[in-house]
Amino acid sequence: MTYCFPYLISFLIGLLAISLLLQDQKKINLPLRLSLALGIGLSISAHIIFFGFVIFDKLHRPFVLTIHFCLLALLFIGLLSRWKTFTLPKLNLRKTALEILLGLGLIVTILYVLWTQANFYPYGGWDAWSVWNFKSKFLYLGGQDWKNMFDPILWRSSQHYPLLLPLTNVWGWIFFKEPTPMIPLINSILFTFMTVALLYSGLKIFVKSTPALLAALLLVSPTTFITYATSQYCDIVIAYLLLAGLVCLILAKLNRAKVFAFLAGLFLGFLSFTKPEGTLASALIVGLSVPFFFNKNEGFSARTHPLTFLGIGLILGLLPTILFHILYAPANQTFINGLNSSTHPVTMERFKIIMLYFASELMSKKWCGLWALLFIGLLLSHGRCFKRENLLLCSFLGLYGLLTCFYYWLNTYFEIGWWLTVTLPRVLLAILPIMIFWVFYSLWGENAEEQPD
Amino acid sequence: MKIIPTTNMSTPILKNTLPRLSSPQSIFTALVGLCILINFLVQTIEIIELKQQRKIIGYHFLGTNYAGLAPLLDKVVVIGYYTDRDLAKNVNSARFAQAQYTLAPVILNPDSLDYEFILLDCASGQKAVEKMIEMNATLVFINPKAGFILAKKTK
């Protein structure tokens, strides 16, 4: 039961916040609300713990728990005060018992597969015990000396990486006396499941149930995805937040709903606190949002413009990232600028290796033809994937791919073959859900009608 | 007798069905369905194989060998780490990283032995003892099976 408490508290915080924010959005289905709620709740919990570290310079349990319960009470009061105008999200009761049973069966099967795969490696993959869970232990057990994790001796642990995942692990351990390995494992399963649920429920707003379900099943079908996602790495957290941010942005644009712009800002802020890749992705999406939302004919004032709300959400979500970089983050010790280095210069050979490796990874057997299938999907969309409503997704994916390749080329600290082998599959894992979303949205998006829940 | 115009009945159905079946969505649905089916089959086989493998070999996290050291290193910030194994090799590097993970927040420094406590993590217990004597250190903890010693330097 102790395992459930932190998740239950975070889930309630997220659910109440989402319910308050989306009370006028009747079209938004219950699965989408639920999959956004846990992600938002866990990220808020991680942020509260981080602020505890900033204020008390150690893990301060009473502070963390007090803020959580105060927030919970405030949100509950907020919901009660709007109870008269509050409407519960639509639930389609026309569904047959068979459909409900099939749905539940599918959820249980996916959770069973995730649980089984995660338990093959209960301590996670290499970076789990040398980076993410390692940092979590410092935060949890380090007391006033937690900052020792930034000691240059520990350069192998990528000390400049932000702390969202380690703090989420610490939150899971908050009611324990010692850091049990079960919590990072549960976190990896939860984030994977939430990503799948978010892909299904996010797509379901724009397309019919069958393609949305196919998209979700396609995501969990390759063993490679499940293995990486349950390795207790941060990449699945990036995948989830990236998808959440982009789905909210598209909803903000299509529904002209400021509240989704605010949520998108919040998710992108959280995303920046995951990993440098997350920070890059977040900055890129925010940059692309400006032309995405800029339309002279829409008649928004500065106060009501979605970009204003995106900015507010972003500032709230970004605060820990800014504080982390100002107060704690050491310089990246694993970076050599190949353009300036005489010992490790950038070469054309390196560029060719990156391109070849990229292509061979996409076509690799381990992805079971998934990427090839997605490219076929893009071709079948007859150019719809590049239409105006899809521009945000395709320009983000294109630019993110280009910048990632550029960074691989520029940073000559690592031997490129080894570096690509270790990290490229994870970069692909993080963008896979939005790639699937893009393909399915391009193919079925125009059929978007009022969908039954 | 009335003749049923069978050909006329089937034509509209074919007219409607064929374009629908050859639509991009239908083609992609078929491909995705096939891909999901094959992938789940492959995944099921892999899970069964790995489960059987785990029954025979089991899972062993090397870091758990070092768990007994944690209470002995209370309030210690950094200790030295010595090994005669090649840390460039993956298996040895993993051993070091897992020891580091298990003992965190104590830091293991593989580049210096200039600390009060040294973890001597050698290919055999014998080699670790020899290194300890060479360093003029005293024994705090030994795990001969895993081949490591926690030693304290004599002041």
Side-chain angles (χ1 to χ4, degrees):
Chain A
M1 196 60 196
T2 321
Y3 286 109
C4 299
F5 281 136
Y7 298 106
L8 206 62
I9 294 169
S10 295
F11 179 64
L12 277 176
I13 288 176
L15 191 65
L16 290 175
I18 288 284
S19 304
L20 270 173
L21 287 168
L22 301 183
Q23 60 172 328
D24 299 327
Q25 303 293 323
K26 284 161 195 154
K27 270 188 189 176
I28 304 306
N29 57 55
L30 190 63
L32 181 63
R33 286 167 195 257
L34 296 179
S35 47
L36 290 178
L38 188 54
I40 241 177
L42 284 174
S43 305
I44 289 174
S45 298
H47 280 207
I48 291 171
I49 298 177
F50 181 73
F51 289 122
F53 274 100
V54 174
I55 298 165
F56 300 101
D57 203 23
K58 63 174 186 178
L59 174 63
H60 199 287
R61 280 190 173 88
F63 169 81
V64 171
L65 292 174
T66 309
I67 297 291
H68 269 90
F69 288 119
C70 287
L71 191 60
L72 208 56
L74 272 175
L75 287 167
F76 194 67
I77 291 166
L79 200 69
L80 277 183
S81 68
R82 295 186 182 188
W83 190 249
K84 279 182 184 171
T85 56
F86 189 79
T87 46
L88 286 168
K90 279 196 295 182
L91 254 182
N92 186 3
L93 297 171
R94 280 174 298 169
K95 277 183 180 158
T96 61
L98 184 72
E99 279 178 302
I100 293 168
L101 271 178
L102 275 176
L104 285 174
L106 209 58
I107 291 172
V108 171
T109 310
I110 292 172
L111 281 173
Y112 172 76
V113 171
L114 294 178
W115 175 257
T116 312
Q117 288 278 10
N119 271 288
F120 283 138
Y121 301 95
Y123 285 87
W126 193 298
D127 273 10
W129 27 269
S130 73
V131 180
W132 304 109
N133 301 347
F134 176 61
K135 285 182 182 186
S136 310
K137 280 190 80 178
F138 262 91
L139 291 162
Y140 185 73
L141 298 170
Q144 302 274 5
D145 297 326
W146 70 277
K147 284 189 292 249
N148 285 345
M149 71 178 181
F150 302 120
D151 192 308
I153 299 170
L154 298 172
W155 62 271
R156 289 174 185 83
S157 67
S158 305
Q159 298 149 313
H160 60 290
Y161 280 11
L163 302 171
L164 187 80
L165 180 59
L167 288 164
T168 312
N169 290 337
V170 172
W171 170 239
W173 288 330
I174 203 90
F175 296 111
F176 287 93
K177 283 183 181 162
E178 52 185 42
T180 156
M182 190 55 83
I183 290 295
L185 185 142
I186 293 174
N187 280 341
S188 73
I189 292 175
L190 277 182
F191 272 104
T192 312
F193 184 73
M194 284 192 298
T195 309
V196 179
L198 184 59
L199 181 64
Y200 167 74
S201 54
L203 260 175
K204 203 171 168 290
I205 293 176
F206 309 106
V207 306
K208 289 197 163 59
S209 290
T210 313
L213 186 65
L214 278 177
L217 289 176
L218 186 64
L219 180 66
V220 281
S221 68
T223 316
T224 308
F225 174 79
I226 303 282
T227 310
Y228 278 113
T230 54
S231 292
Q232 303 171 23
Y233 294 172
C234 198
D235 305 276
I236 190 64
V237 185
I238 297 180
Y240 169 78
L241 292 172
L242 201 54
L243 184 66
L246 281 165
V247 167
C248 288
L249 267 183
I250 295 169
L251 281 169
K253 173 80 178 174
L254 296 182
N255 290 1
R256 294 167 60 92
K258 297 166 288 190
V259 68
F260 279 113
F262 172 78
L263 277 175
L266 211 54
F267 278 117
L268 294 176
F270 295 153
L271 177 64
S272 70
F273 199 42
T274 50
K275 223 178 155 181
E277 288 98 305
T279 315
L280 170 76
S282 174
L284 211 55
I285 296 170
V286 172
L288 291 168
S289 301
V290 179
F292 184 64
F293 279 112
F294 195 78
N295 191 341
K296 279 180 187 172
N297 304 323
E298 276 179 323
F300 287 115
S301 71
R303 270 189 180 182
T304 58
H305 201 284
L307 281 176
T308 312
F309 286 86
L310 178 79
I312 296 169
L314 186 69
I315 290 167
L316 283 176
L318 203 62
L319 213 56
T321 314
I322 296 168
L323 286 175
F324 174 73
H325 283 288
I326 293 173
L327 299 174
Y328 308 118
N332 181 359
Q333 290 190 60
T334 52
F335 179 77
I336 293 173
N337 183 348
L339 290 171
N340 291 336
S341 172
S342 53
T343 51
H344 294 77
V346 290
T347 56
M348 201 56 205
E349 192 64 29
R350 192 177 175 90
F351 177 75
K352 279 183 199 164
I353 293 172
I354 294 165
M355 289 298 120
L356 279 173
Y357 199 94
F358 214 105
S360 69
E361 179 65 30
L362 288 176
M363 295 302 135
S364 162
K365 250 194 204 169
K366 71 177 167 208
W367 289 105
C368 308
L370 182 59
W371 289 95
L373 184 69
L374 292 175
F375 286 117
I376 292 172
L378 290 180
L379 286 175
L380 286 171
S381 79
H382 294 302
R384 260 181 294 168
C385 54
F386 300 113
K387 276 203 167 173
R388 197 158 177 262
E389 65 270 21
N390 286 315
L391 268 184
L392 180 72
L393 287 168
C394 71
S395 48
F396 165 73
L397 284 166
L399 280 172
Y400 187 71
L402 275 179
L403 286 174
T404 306
C405 287
F406 177 72
Y407 186 72
Y408 275 125
W409 181 68
L410 180 75
N411 183 4
T412 50
Y413 182 89
F414 297 111
E415 192 273 309
I416 190 64
W418 172 82
W419 196 21
L420 285 165
T421 311
V422 174
T423 57
L424 192 60
R426 291 189 242 157
V427 173
L428 294 178
L429 169 107
I431 59 166
L432 184 60
I434 47 168
M435 183 73 190
I436 295 178
F437 186 93
W438 181 33
V439 173
F440 279 76
Y441 184 51
S442 303
L443 273 166
W444 278 277
E446 280 185 5
N447 300 342
E449 299 288 332
E450 277 263 345
Q451 302 290 328
D453 284 325
Chain B
M1 195 182 154
K2 211 174 180 182
I3 299 165
I4 301 164
T6 46
T7 46
N8 285 352
M9 266 183 82
S10 60
T11 316
I13 298 169
L14 276 176
K15 262 186 188 173
N16 290 335
T17 314
L18 276 178
R20 232 192 296 156
L21 282 177
S22 61
S23 73
Q25 284 93 343
S26 306
I27 296 168
F28 192 64
T29 304
L31 290 173
V32 168
L34 194 69
C35 183
I36 291 170
L37 212 67
I38 294 169
N39 285 353
F40 274 128
L41 208 67
V42 171
Q43 196 169 126
T44 311
I45 293 167
E46 282 178 4
I47 287 177
I48 291 167
E49 278 176 2
L50 209 55
K51 269 196 166 179
Q52 282 170 344
Q53 205 181 315
R54 277 291 144 82
K55 266 184 193 166
I56 301 161
I57 305 168
Y59 174 77
H60 184 57
F61 186 70
L62 292 169
T64 46
N65 289 335
Y66 306 87
L69 298 180
L72 305 169
L73 295 168
D74 191 32
K75 305 247 162 73
V76 177
V77 177
V78 191
I79 66 169
Y81 180 85
Y82 171 82
T83 183
D84 58 352
R85 297 186 179 99
D86 180 9
L87 278 181
K89 281 188 180 169
N90 259 359
V91 61
N92 300 330
S93 185
R95 192 186 179 94
F96 166 72
Q98 291 187 6
Q100 174 67 93
Y101 167 75
T102 306
L103 296 177
V106 176
I107 298 170
L108 307 185
N109 189 351
D111 302 319
S112 169
L113 300 180
D114 205 12
Y115 298 99
E116 188 185 2
F117 289 96
I118 313 287
L119 178 59
L120 303 154
D121 195 2
C122 298
S124 71
Q126 180 62 36
K127 282 194 175 170
V129 171
E130 281 167 20
K131 184 69 188 172
M132 183 184 73
I133 294 164
E134 185 194 314
M135 285 167 55
N136 197 21
T138 53
L139 181 78
V140 180
F141 184 94
I142 184 162
N143 184 335
K145 203 176 161 191
F148 71 81
I149 283 177
L150 179 70
K152 190 177 179 182
K153 273 191 185 166
T154 325
K155 281 179 188 168

